Amino acid sequence: MNGKGPFRFVVDTGADRSVIAEDVAQSLNLPRGDRVMVEGVIRSVPTDTAEVTQLAVGPVTRTNLSVPVLPRSQLLADGYLGLDVIDGYRVTLDFKSNELLLGMPSQMPRYLVPPSGGNQPNELTVPVAGRHGHLRAFGCSIDRIRAVTFVDTGAEISVGNSRLFDALVANDSSYFKQDIIQLTGVTGGVVTGHVTTLKHVRMNSLNFENGDIAIVDLQIFDLWNLSDRPALLIGMNWLRQFSRVSIDYGRKELRFDLATRAAAASA
């Protein structure tokens, strides 16, 4: 950043805008810009911005960014990379190697992919749609409920909205018998929700079994225009089931490496 670094950033596929820690902005003597409202998953807060001349991450270089500044105590990192930086590229979470990779999107149009899907062994592809990085998988089945799902790498736990919960309870009242959980966000604030276990989630050819989620009407559902329908945010607690997860914003697809699951099943 501005020729200095390296810095430790978290990639947040649920955030429209990147943010940096207050002490990083001070150490780089970044000029301050306008005051803005930062919209988090739980609440929105006003904060100053810092003017970044250049931000380079792997093959990605962004220039002349106006980046909101938040306390390190909330970020617990040097900053968060949002869709303003990563949209149009490919984000890969390699859990086996403990690496996060940011690369160029696949150049092959989806309609030219071979009938096999062009996948590597143990790999499944889920097509998604959306604009400005808001990639969503439509027509998913969550315990027989039709819903919309999306991946948020900045969320530690997967979260469903109240529309999803109401539809689940209408089919099976046992979803009421669950624990309480408190969630926090990088913009601060605490919200309380219920924990429930989903029996079966299907996204195209990908299946999740017996996965825990929190039921909370987070602000992100409003920001992504999903508050009026059953929706599920897939967080890191589910993504870590795989050896590798790739989000290709150019091709608009998700890729899941099933090697970890296969090893667990044979153990």
Side-chain angles (χ1 to χ4, degrees), residues 110-131:
R110 190 185 293 168
Y111 61 83
L112 293 180
V113 174
S116 64
N119 293 347
Q120 299 298 317
N122 293 321
E123 188 177 66
L124 286 178
T125 299
V126 176
V128 289
R131 300 176 58 193

Side-chain angles (χ1 to χ4, degrees), residues 137-142 145-149 164 230-232:
F138 293 90
C140 300
S141 174
I142 301 177
I145 303 298
R146 300 285 281 183
V148 178
T149 62
L164 174 61
L232 174 66

Side-chain angles (χ1 to χ4, degrees), residues 80-98:
Y80 275 58
L81 296 180
L83 295 171
D84 56 343
V85 172
I86 65 176
D87 187 23
Y89 291 89
R90 185 178 69 251
V91 176
T92 301
L93 305 171
D94 191 329
F95 296 107
K96 185 175 181 179
S97 301
N98 197 30

Side-chain angles (χ1 to χ4, degrees), residues 93-99 236 239-240 242-245:
L93 305 171
D94 191 329
F95 296 107
K96 185 175 181 179
S97 301
N98 197 30
E99 291 182 328
M236 295 296 284
L239 297 180
R240 290 192 185 98
F242 305 94
S243 291
R244 186 170 58 251
V245 176

Side-chain angles (χ1 to χ4, degrees), residues 121-163:
N122 293 321
E123 188 177 66
L124 286 178
T125 299
V126 176
V128 289
R131 300 176 58 193
H132 309 302
H134 289 190
L135 300 184
R136 294 164 278 191
F138 293 90
C140 300
S141 174
I142 301 177
D143 288 351
R144 295 175 296 175
I145 303 298
R146 300 285 281 183
V148 178
T149 62
F150 63 99
V151 171
D152 184 353
T153 59
E156 277 300 314
I157 188 169
S158 301
V159 180
N161 63 3
S162 60
R163 287 297 185 100

Side-chain angles (χ1 to χ4, degrees), residues 219-231:
Q219 182 169 267
I220 191 172
F221 291 115
D222 294 323
L223 298 176
W224 283 47
N225 296 317
L226 293 175
S227 58
D228 62 343
R229 70 191 79 177

